[in-house]
């Protein structure tokens, strides 16, 4: 074999070696890119909702209810997603005829935190005979309960440095309320009380919207609406209590709605223990004044032995997907996949 042939073979081997080296380096580069992409995606994957038990609640004091008879410490159960991101806040407001109930709507709380919200299930002062711990001789009548909800909204919008929610909310605050709690949510979605406390959106389950509606005051099918609202406001039957411009009317959420109110999703069942006019009055009111982006849903169920259908948070399983979609749209966040928390 002459020198020329040897030189050609050597050049061929060098080219093959260079090609193999290039392929090897290219594989390394692809591996690095893949690793970098994986690391970049990890926070997104961790931020996605999980199937169940998405957060462990932490009980905190969110504020104080003031009254001449003494101050009442107010607490909430905070559910914060297990990630490092910021999220909209949702206030969950229990029902109970304005004089009972507590902050343990666990299924709703978990559904909402699994959907990517910071959730605050709140307690508030109750009208007599109901009391929360520390309420003492405070009667808890209007406007104390709506004042407490307004306090919770401000606290959720800007949590205190010692709160588990500090640095985890993005300034948007919505609500899900049932029955009396829906009344308070509607009241605070309609207009601010002291500033910074108007909800950005609210889901209203079996809302009490017009406390002085004559047909509702005599409705006794499955609940004593008239007795409950008069106890809440602290007045007796008569013109001063029941008339247009009377105490019940002045405490009613429907009066506060204007075009600048926040969107509400109004939900009831066909034979809801909440008098049917309460659903109709608020649906008509928000349409008449032009509140933007409101929604409504009347759920049809078979009557129970008492002649009534589902009420308040009993309706949540039927409406949760639509409610969460409404809150996502209203609070301007991307809609995650809704999953059961069970």
């Amino acid at each position: 074999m002459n020198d020329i042939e040897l030189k050609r073979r050597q050049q061929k081997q060098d080219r093959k070696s260079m090609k193999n080296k290039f392929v090897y380096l290219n594989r390394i580069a692809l591996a690095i890119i893949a690793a970098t992409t994986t690391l970049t995606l990890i926070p997104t994957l961790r931020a996605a909702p999980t199937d169940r038990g998405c957060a462990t609640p932490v009980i905190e004091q969110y504020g104080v209810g003031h009254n001449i008879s003494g101050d009442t410490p107010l607490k909430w159960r905070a559910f914060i997603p297990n990630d490092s991101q910021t999220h909209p806040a949702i206030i969950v407001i229990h029902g109970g005829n304005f004089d009972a109930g507590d902050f343990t709507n666990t299924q709703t709380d978990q559904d909402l935190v699994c959907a990517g919200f910071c959730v605050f299930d709140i307690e508030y002062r109750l009208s007599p005979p109901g009391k929360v711990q520390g309420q003492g001789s405070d009667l808890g009548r209007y406007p104390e309960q709506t004042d407490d909800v307004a306090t919770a909204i401000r606290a959720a919008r800007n949590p205190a440095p010692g709160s588990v929610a500090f640095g985890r909310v993005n300034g948007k605050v919505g609500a899900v309320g049932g029955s009396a709690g829906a009344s308070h949510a509607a009241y605070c979605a309609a207009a601010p009380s002291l500033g910074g406390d108007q909800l950005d959106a609210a889901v209203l389950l079996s809302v009490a919207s017009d406390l002085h509606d004559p047909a509702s005051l005599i409705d006794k099918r499955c609940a004593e609406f008239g007795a409950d609202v008069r106890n809440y406001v602290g007045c007796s039957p008569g013109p001063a209590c029941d008339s247009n411009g009377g105490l019940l009317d002045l405490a009613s959420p429907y009066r506060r709605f204007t075009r600048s109110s926040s969107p509400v999703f109004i939900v009831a069942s066909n034979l809801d223990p909440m008098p049917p006019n309460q659903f109709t009055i608020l649906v008509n009111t928000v349409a008449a004044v032009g509140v933007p982006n409101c929604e409504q849903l009347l759920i049809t169920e078979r009557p129970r032995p008492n002649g009534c259908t589902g009420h308040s948070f009993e309706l949540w399983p039927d409406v949760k997907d639509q409610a969460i979609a409404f809150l996502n749209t209203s609070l301007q966040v991307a809609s995650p996949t809704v999953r059961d928390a069970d």
Side-chain angles (χ1 to χ4, degrees):
M1 184 179 297
N2 57 36
D3 292 342
I4 295 175
E5 185 64 25
L6 287 171
K7 186 174 182 180
R8 286 177 178 171
R9 289 190 176 186
Q10 183 63 45
Q11 289 175 342
K12 185 176 181 180
Q13 289 176 354
D14 289 345
R15 285 195 297 271
K16 184 177 181 180
S17 177
M18 287 293 293
K19 182 178 179 181
N20 291 340
K21 185 175 182 180
F22 175 79
V23 170
Y24 176 72
L25 291 175
N26 189 50
R27 288 176 177 173
I28 292 176
L30 290 173
I32 292 172
I33 292 171
T36 302
T37 303
T38 301
L39 290 172
T40 302
L41 290 176
I42 282 174
T44 303
L45 295 174
R46 286 178 178 169
T50 55
D51 287 332
R52 63 180 69 214
C54 297
T56 301
V58 176
I59 297 178
E60 302 176 328
Q61 181 175 333
Y62 71 81
V64 175
H66 298 291
N67 183 277
I68 58 173
S69 64
D71 291 341
T72 303
L74 303 170
K75 298 177 182 178
W76 65 24
R77 296 167 76 240
F79 299 74
I80 308 302
N82 295 319
D83 57 35
S84 59
Q85 300 183 12
T86 59
H87 303 269
I90 302 294
I91 304 291
V92 176
I93 313 172
H94 69 78
N97 308 317
F98 300 98
D99 67 359
D102 56 29
F103 58 159
T104 55
N105 292 298
T106 306
Q107 184 63 58
T108 305
D109 299 333
Q110 287 290 356
D111 287 339
L112 288 166
V113 73
C114 289
F117 298 104
C118 291
V119 180
F120 304 92
D121 196 330
I122 69 167
E123 65 178 11
Y124 52 89
R125 284 172 289 180
L126 301 172
S127 57
K131 294 182 183 296
V132 298
Q133 186 175 4
Q135 185 172 338
S137 58
D138 186 344
L139 297 180
R141 289 192 161 116
Y142 175 81
E144 291 186 352
Q145 297 186 25
T146 51
D147 287 346
D148 293 350
V149 174
T151 297
I153 294 167
R154 290 191 293 271
R157 202 179 301 281
N158 186 24
S163 171
V164 68
F166 180 70
R168 299 300 312 281
V169 298
N170 65 6
K172 292 283 188 178
V173 182
V176 177
S179 194
S183 182
H184 300 328
Y187 191 96
C188 292
S193 295
L194 299 173
D197 53 14
Q198 181 176 339
L199 289 165
D200 296 301
V203 176
L204 311 175
L205 308 172
S206 306
V207 61
S209 61
D210 180 358
L211 308 188
H212 91 307
D213 171 58
S216 298
L217 289 174
I218 61 174
D219 189 318
K220 298 183 179 181
R221 294 169 302 117
C222 296
E224 293 278 350
F225 181 86
D228 291 338
V229 297
R230 290 186 180 109
N231 177 63
Y232 166 54
V233 174
C235 62
S236 300
C241 185
D242 305 342
S243 64
N244 292 335
L247 295 177
L248 290 178
D249 192 20
L250 294 175
S252 297
Y254 86 97
R255 291 177 55 96
R256 293 166 53 84
F257 278 90
T258 67
R259 185 170 178 79
S260 61
S261 297
S262 298
V264 290
F265 183 13
I266 309 164
V267 181
S269 67
N270 55 312
L271 294 172
D272 201 306
M274 184 62 68
N277 278 8
Q278 298 301 308
F279 175 83
T280 304
I281 288 170
L282 192 56
V283 167
N284 291 340
T285 296
V286 298
V289 301
V291 181
N293 304 317
C294 292
E295 298 182 21
Q296 65 186 67
L297 177 63
L298 187 63
I299 299 172
T300 301
E301 299 177 345
R302 295 183 64 181
R304 300 173 183 179
N306 64 0
C308 289
T309 49
H311 175 69
S312 188
F313 282 95
E314 293 176 339
L315 304 177
W316 176 254
D318 294 326
V319 76
K320 68 176 181 179
D321 290 359
Q322 293 146 286
I324 289 170
F326 167 80
L327 291 168
N328 279 326
T329 300
S330 301
L331 302 178
Q332 298 181 353
V333 293
S335 180
T337 301
V338 179
R339 305 184 184 183
D340 292 338
D342 291 334

